[in-house]
Amino acid sequence: MSAPPPPPPTVPSVLLPELLGFIPQFLLDDIINIANDEAKQIVDAMEQFLQRWADARAEKAQEWDPTQEIEQGLVSFQTLLESHVDVAFDFFEAWSMRNIFAIPADLPIVAPHQAGLDLEQPPEKEQELLAEIDELRRKLHAQRKLKRLFTRAVHRSGRDLEHARGCLERLSFLSAPQMQTLLSLPIEFHSMFDAVSSLPPVDPSSVVLEPGVAPGPGKRPWETSKTGYLNWAVEQLMQRAKENAKNEPGGGSFGEGSSVVSAAAAAAYDVGSAQDAKALLEQIGGSGPPVHTKRDEAEQMDTS
């Protein structure tokens, strides 16, 4: 006896849910569960019927106890019914999967999500489309990132604007009419600077410090000019000579003493005082009348 021919090729079962819109196995499982529930209801109804029949017969025969017989009969009936239901629906499930839900492979069927698509494209075209999709995804990600940056920049600009408005409000007093008079000050400062710049340069050595005139603030006498330094040096020498002369034994007068310093100081004092040296410097500089020292006066007295 020859073997039966194999079943014709069919569409893979994984495509059936896409074509039908539901899973065939789940539908068959629901039908079998409904049949099992009906079998249980049949057993329950049979139990109630037998219980009423046993109660009615027990009223006539007081010594008869039908409980054990009813339980054994119900168990046998339930087992037999469930076995028939299982065998019948196993055949029904196998027949349904081979006939109802079996689609021949040569049948031209188009899935709903593939309607209107050209499925004859070469693999190279598919790779190009996938690359284009990746590029679009990259651009979309870049646009989202740019949007986040723009949103953050807008928030920061808003905060900067509020800060600038606060600063402008604090400086609003500068726009008062009283502040308009300050606009002419730069022009006056420029004109004063031009006038000072046009003055000739001043030689510090030619500046003569008048007697009794104190040096400028923050300057010592020897820092004012060359004349100031010379005056200070002469005064220091004369003061030191006077102190040495007074400290000599037996001294008291400025011109007396046995030391060389005292003799030099006396000779310098005979020539002239500090005021005479200052006047001499002024004369050399070209300012002031002729000055005569003590020696000149003595010579004039001798010749007279």
Side-chain angles (χ1 to χ4, degrees):
M1 184 176 180
S2 63
T10 58
V11 175
S13 59
V14 294
L15 297 178
L16 292 179
E18 297 182 6
L19 298 174
L20 301 177
F22 61 91
I23 300 177
Q25 188 63 45
F26 288 173
L27 176 62
L28 296 176
D29 292 341
D30 291 339
I31 294 175
I32 293 173
N33 291 333
I34 292 173
N36 291 328
D37 292 338
E38 294 296 330
K40 291 180 181 179
Q41 293 179 6
I42 292 173
V43 172
D44 294 338
M46 180 61 70
E47 181 180 5
Q48 295 176 2
F49 173 75
L50 292 177
Q51 189 66 37
R52 288 195 303 269
W53 175 80
D55 294 339
R57 187 175 180 182
E59 293 178 356
K60 298 179 180 179
Q62 299 293 334
E63 298 179 356
W64 182 66
D65 187 7
T67 305
Q68 185 176 0
E69 296 179 359
I70 292 175
E71 291 180 357
Q72 292 178 355
L74 287 175
V75 170
S76 300
F77 175 72
Q78 183 177 2
T79 303
L80 181 61
L81 183 60
E82 289 178 355
S83 63
H84 282 286
V85 169
D86 292 340
V87 172
F89 280 95
D90 287 342
F91 281 105
F92 172 75
E93 181 179 0
W95 179 82
S96 298
M97 295 300 296
R98 292 180 180 180
N99 295 275
I100 299 177
F101 300 112
I103 300 176
D106 56 349
L107 185 64
I109 297 177
V110 179
H113 64 278
Q114 295 178 347
L117 298 180
D118 186 6
L119 302 180
E120 301 297 330
Q121 296 291 337
E124 293 78 7
K125 183 65 174 179
E126 183 179 0
Q127 294 296 330
E128 293 178 1
L129 294 176
L130 293 177
E132 184 179 357
I133 292 174
D134 293 337
E135 181 67 18
L136 293 176
R137 287 176 178 174
R138 188 187 63 80
K139 292 181 179 180
L140 180 61
H141 178 70
Q143 290 295 328
R144 290 177 178 175
K145 184 178 180 180
L146 184 62
K147 182 179 179 181
R148 290 195 297 268
L149 293 177
F150 282 161
T151 304
R152 191 180 305 171
V154 168
H155 293 166
R156 184 180 300 174
S157 300
R159 292 194 298 268
D160 294 343
L161 179 61
E162 293 297 331
H163 179 69
R165 287 177 178 175
C167 294
L168 179 61
E169 185 178 357
R170 289 193 295 270
L171 298 176
S172 60
F173 68 93
L174 295 177
S175 61
Q178 294 82 359
M179 302 298 294
Q180 300 299 323
T181 57
L182 298 177
L183 297 177
S184 60
L185 291 180
I187 301 176
E188 296 179 0
F189 278 123
H190 277 290
S191 61
M192 183 174 63
F193 175 76
D194 295 337
V196 173
S197 300
S198 63
L199 295 176
V202 179
D203 187 8
S205 62
S206 63
V207 178
V208 180
L209 185 62
E210 295 295 333
V213 178
K219 291 185 177 182
R220 289 168 287 190
W222 60 85
E223 295 179 349
T224 55
S225 63
K226 181 178 180 181
T227 305
Y229 174 75
L230 293 175
N231 293 337
W232 172 81
V234 172
E235 289 180 359
Q236 292 295 321
L237 289 174
M238 297 301 297
Q239 185 176 2
R240 189 177 302 173
K242 289 180 181 180
E243 292 178 358
N244 292 334
K246 290 179 181 179
N247 294 331
E248 287 293 334
S253 62
F254 177 73
E256 298 176 355
S258 59
S259 64
V260 178
V261 178
S262 298
Y269 188 77
D270 290 339
V271 174
S273 63
Q275 297 296 333
D276 296 336
K278 183 177 180 180
L280 179 61
L281 292 174
E282 294 177 355
Q283 183 65 26
I284 293 172
S287 62
V291 179
H292 302 282
T293 62
K294 290 183 178 182
R295 179 172 293 181
D296 294 337
E297 293 176 358
E299 292 177 357
Q300 290 178 2
M301 289 176 64
D302 293 340
T303 58
S304 59

